[in-house]
Amino acid sequence: MANRILVVEDNDLNRKLFCDVLRANGHEVEPVADGELVLNGARAFAPDLIIMDIQLPHVSGLDLIEALKQDPALHDVPVLAVTAYAGKGDEERIRAAGAADYLAKPVSIGPFMAAVRRLLPAPASAGGA
């Protein structure tokens, strides 16, 4: 069964790239461009992983991560934060908000997929005892 990944990214090119790469690796992907739609979208999609842009219009990705971590239905879903603004102290603030991992843009595909694999639940082993 494919892992379900919610991609929160307001930049059209980045969102398409992330989604295309994830789909090519066998994942089911739900793109979200507007941060105000994230919580309801995540509840409806029930993702195994959320990829979260930090710089979004209308709402901060940090605020969204904190809201996700306070939602009983979503608090266990790991969040991979992705941001173009990687300044001093940003990684600490992002992790303190509840992100499981962090990547600075521009994101290379190799490190991106390595982070995705680290955060996804291990596949259930086939067969029985």
Side-chain angles (χ1 to χ4, degrees):
M1 187 166 150
N3 282 305
R4 300 163 63 86
I5 302 175
L6 187 76
V7 176
V8 182
E9 170 63 66
D10 64 310
N11 179 284
D12 293 339
L13 291 175
N14 286 341
R15 190 174 57 254
K16 181 176 178 358
L17 173 66
F18 294 161
C19 290
D20 288 350
V21 167
L22 292 166
R23 285 186 184 112
N25 281 272
H27 303 293
E28 185 178 341
V29 180
E30 179 70 26
V32 177
D34 186 338
E36 294 178 333
L37 303 176
V38 169
L39 292 176
N40 286 336
R43 285 186 204 108
F45 185 62
D48 298 301
L49 173 65
I50 298 171
I51 296 172
M52 176 72 67
D53 184 15
I54 297 301
Q55 301 294 326
L56 294 165
H58 312 298
V59 63
S60 160
L62 287 175
D63 292 342
L64 287 172
I65 293 169
E66 289 173 350
L68 288 164
K69 293 304 168 185
Q70 292 172 9
D71 187 303
L74 301 168
H75 75 277
D76 289 335
V77 178
V79 176
L80 172 58
V82 182
T83 184
Y85 301 98
K88 185 171 176 58
D90 283 349
E91 182 172 1
E92 291 79 13
R93 280 191 293 281
I94 289 167
R95 289 186 185 275
D101 206 349
Y102 164 93
L103 291 173
K105 292 178 186 173
V107 175
S108 298
I109 300 307
F112 174 75
M113 284 310 302
V116 167
R117 282 190 291 276
R118 277 194 309 273
L119 295 175
L120 284 172
S125 58

